[in-house]
Amino acid sequence: MENDDELEKIGDSILDQLQQSLTTKSQPSGVSNEPLTTENLEKFVLDKTAVLVAQSMEAVENLKDYIQAGASDKEITAFAEVVKASTSAIETLNKLLQSKDKIENSIKLKEMDIKARKELNVVDNSVKLLLSREDLMKQLIKDSDKIIDVTPTITD
């Protein structure tokens, strides 16, 4: 009987601990109540991917020794899936970084192109004669007394 009372106390203690852990942990860690919008999408993806990478790398480290000690086929397959998931998460982060760099470089290149075109346009316009049709006619009429006829005479 004494042994049964002791087992019952241990069982009650375990149940109390489980109930406390369930009531205190109402929301999983890392989950936010902030609604997902287009403005915070990039931050959300980066944060969640970083957490995923960290967790998967931790899982790989934890499982590595266990797998090397001699595990079953199912455990080795599970380990391979964890490694594959962590690799995929790292690849996603890398693609995001490359995409962001590509966009920034594209913007810089376009700005340089626009600046070069403006400079070429200024040089082009400074070389061209900036006269209207009326200005050109006035200038021709004004200088008409200085015009010399150079038509060759035709002799037969």
Side-chain angles (χ1 to χ4, degrees):
M1 283 233 187
E2 201 174 287
N3 202 9
D4 289 338
D5 288 339
E6 190 176 314
L7 286 174
E8 190 173 317
K9 286 181 184 178
I10 292 172
D12 289 341
S13 172
I14 291 173
L15 286 174
D16 288 340
Q17 290 175 3
L18 285 173
Q19 287 176 343
Q20 286 177 352
S21 71
L22 289 175
T23 56
T24 57
K25 193 172 184 179
S26 61
Q27 184 176 6
S29 63
V31 175
S32 65
N33 289 331
E34 186 178 333
L36 192 59
T37 62
T38 55
E39 289 80 26
N40 65 1
L41 181 62
E42 181 180 4
K43 182 182 180 331
F44 174 82
V45 169
L46 287 174
D47 290 347
K48 297 305 176 188
T49 308
V51 168
L52 179 62
V53 167
Q55 289 175 348
S56 61
M57 293 303 292
E58 185 179 328
V60 167
E61 286 298 317
N62 291 339
L63 292 174
K64 184 171 65 173
D65 295 333
Y66 177 72
I67 296 299
Q68 288 175 346
S72 69
D73 292 341
K74 288 182 181 180
E75 292 165 339
I76 291 173
T77 303
F79 179 73
E81 289 297 321
V82 169
V83 170
K84 182 179 176 183
S86 64
T87 303
S88 176
I90 292 171
E91 192 173 301
T92 301
L93 273 178
N94 191 27
K95 285 180 182 178
L96 284 171
L97 180 62
Q98 287 177 347
S99 174
K100 189 173 183 177
D101 287 345
K102 184 177 179 181
I103 290 169
E104 288 174 0
N105 289 338
S106 171
I107 290 171
K108 287 178 184 176
L109 184 63
K110 193 64 173 175
E111 288 173 351
M112 289 171 42
D113 185 39
I114 290 170
K115 185 178 177 183
R117 286 180 188 229
K118 282 182 181 178
E119 289 176 6
L120 285 174
N121 197 12
V122 167
V123 169
D124 242 4
N125 287 340
S126 66
V127 172
K128 291 181 181 176
L129 183 60
L130 300 175
L131 291 176
S132 66
R133 185 179 292 176
E134 291 83 24
D135 292 338
L136 184 60
M137 291 303 293
K138 285 179 186 175
Q139 190 69 29
L140 284 173
I141 293 172
K142 180 179 151 187
D143 294 337
S144 65
D145 57 338
K146 298 178 185 174
I147 297 176
I148 301 172
D149 188 13
V150 288
T151 326
T153 57
I154 300 174
T155 56
D156 278 329

